[in-house]
Amino acid sequence: MTRVLVVEDDPQLVRALVINLEARTYDVDAAPDGATALRLAAARQPDAILLDLGLPDMDGIEVIEGLRGWTRVPILVLSARNGSEDKIRALDAGADDCMTKPFSMAELLARLRAATRRSDTAPPAAAETALVTTDEFTVDLVAKKVRRGGRDVRLTPTEWHLLEILISNPGRLISQKRLLQEVWGPTHGSKTNHLRVYMAQLRRKLEADPSHPRYLITEPGMGYRFET
Ligand code: CA
């Protein structure tokens, strides 16, 4: 069965897409924002992603860049904006195809078939295991396992959630607020001391020199970044 991740914040369009895709025996997951999309893409390993560019929490281009850090899954962009500039940016960032809203469902399904056909015949990419490897440790985003020095590293669910967000966005600054809201919930946006504690724990488990981190970088007053 082909699994599709629909990333779209318009509930009516999501409903229409889900009904049409499921009627053609696709297995569908839906994400209403970019952060959920990045998490679901790692957890569910879709065969294709339909991505709206105008999302409530981040630009769709950022989602493409985050995904392309570790996967070559076909990405079909749904853009509400008619200009070609957005499409060029999306394709440059790694999208496979673009459609402008409103679009015909028949055309969308045809393009989706084409995108998944292309990826079926492409040579398998090493990245499809969603393995992120550094000189110090390896993270398997699908199996949710971390290995270091030939041994499994045990992480708490909170530590894993933080690490997963950072690793899914290689090289990108993730704000303290976003990490807090995603991991602890929407009312915890200001508890930066939580973050400091958990980041210190992660560094102790993953960094060769936790006081001089090489991979889990603090941007003072702003947030954190996973450096590859
Ligand atoms: Ca939108």
Side-chain angles (χ1 to χ4, degrees):
M1 195 183 258
T2 306
R3 176 172 288 164
V4 180
L5 173 60
V6 173
V7 187
E8 167 64 64
D9 60 327
D10 172 355
Q12 271 180 315
L13 182 52
V14 172
R15 200 153 46 237
L17 286 166
V18 169
I19 288 168
N20 276 278
L21 289 166
E22 287 185 344
R24 284 154 188 89
T25 72
Y26 287 98
D27 189 2
V28 187
D29 292 310
D33 54 53
T36 309
L38 288 168
R39 199 163 58 240
L40 280 182
R44 302 277 289 163
Q45 295 284 295
D47 301 294
I49 297 180
L50 300 179
L51 173 68
D52 174 30
L53 283 188
L55 295 169
D57 60 336
M58 64 175 93
D59 194 297
I61 303 288
E62 291 179 67
V63 178
I64 299 171
E65 289 169 349
L67 289 167
R68 285 297 176 247
W70 59 272
T71 176
R72 289 167 57 180
V73 61
I75 302 172
L76 208 168
V77 161
L78 311 172
S79 171
R81 293 162 271 194
N82 220 333
S84 60
E85 199 169 302
D86 274 331
K87 294 187 180 173
I88 293 167
R89 281 174 63 227
L91 291 167
D92 279 345
D96 296 89
D97 199 358
C98 290
M99 295 188 75
T100 304
K101 295 180 195 172
F103 48 81
S104 99
M105 200 55 79
E107 185 181 350
L108 175 98
L109 291 165
R111 289 191 189 220
L112 185 60
R113 284 194 297 275
T116 50
R117 221 166 28 235
R118 274 196 300 276
S119 73
D120 278 349
T121 52
E128 274 166 8
T129 55
L131 216 56
V132 178
T133 306
T134 71
D135 290 340
E136 193 63 35
F137 56 88
T138 304
V139 180
D140 185 332
L141 288 166
V142 179
K144 297 188 185 293
K145 281 198 161 186
V146 183
R147 285 181 73 79
R148 181 179 174 208
R151 288 189 305 174
D152 285 339
V153 179
R154 297 173 77 84
L155 298 184
T156 68
T158 302
E159 289 167 355
W160 170 259
H161 201 161
L162 273 175
L163 183 68
E164 185 182 41
I165 296 167
L166 292 168
I167 295 255
S168 304
N169 293 275
R172 301 191 75 83
L173 171 69
I174 310 296
S175 71
Q176 294 176 344
K177 189 170 169 213
R178 182 177 150 199
L179 287 169
L180 284 165
Q181 289 184 339
E182 269 196 55
V183 177
W184 282 275
T187 56
H188 294 77
S190 60
K191 296 189 177 166
T192 51
N193 56 326
H194 286 26
L195 260 183
R196 270 197 298 278
V197 169
Y198 278 92
M199 289 303 294
Q201 281 171 205
L202 271 177
R203 285 181 181 133
R204 271 198 298 278
K205 293 182 179 181
L206 300 178
E207 296 271 2
D209 180 358
S211 53
H212 297 94
R214 155 80 180 78
Y215 301 103
L216 302 170
I217 309 295
T218 304
E219 298 286 355
M222 295 167 70
Y224 297 88
R225 193 156 46 84
F226 168 60
E227 197 62 66
T228 50

